[in-house]
Amino acid sequence: MPYGVAFSARTMDDGYDDGRWHGLPSEFPKVLGTTELGLQKEVKQYDDGKVSWQRVVLAKPKVSLESLSNDMRLRDVRGTYMGYI
């Protein structure tokens, strides 16, 4: 999944899901990057002689959300993380 795409639970999983969104309430989660690959296939369908393709998700990719970096910055400011030696 490319950076900045809106998160969709139908097509991807949050690889660092702790059950809450760490962004602002008015924001929608955006993808920071892919952490595990998924698998999709396209299926050909016939409807009244017309051919159409439907994408089927076999295994959802796992992604990290932009809120993950926001949460890390909050913890760093609060002194939860030790600095690099």
Side-chain angles (χ1 to χ4, degrees):
M1 294 291 152
Y3 169 77
V5 171
F7 176 76
S8 170
R10 284 185 24 191
T11 58
M12 57 188 94
D13 285 330
D14 182 356
Y16 297 94
D17 186 15
D18 62 357
R20 56 194 172 140
W21 162 242
H22 299 283
L24 298 173
S26 62
E27 294 177 329
F28 292 103
K30 297 214 189 259
V31 172
L32 182 64
T34 303
T35 59
E36 292 183 32
L37 296 177
L39 182 63
Q40 298 178 359
K41 73 174 183 176
E42 290 191 357
V43 179
K44 188 187 295 187
Q45 295 182 333
Y46 298 97
D47 186 24
D48 294 329
K50 294 173 95 179
V51 176
S52 64
W53 292 89
Q54 179 182 6
R55 183 169 291 162
V56 178
V57 177
L58 302 174
K60 296 179 186 180
K62 292 192 183 205
V63 297
S64 59
L65 302 179
E66 286 182 336
S67 65
L68 179 66
S69 64
N70 295 343
D71 190 40
M72 286 179 182
R73 272 183 264 160
L74 286 174
R75 289 182 188 173
D76 189 39
V77 168
R78 293 180 187 146
T80 305
Y81 290 115
M82 301 281 293
Y84 292 105
I85 298 175

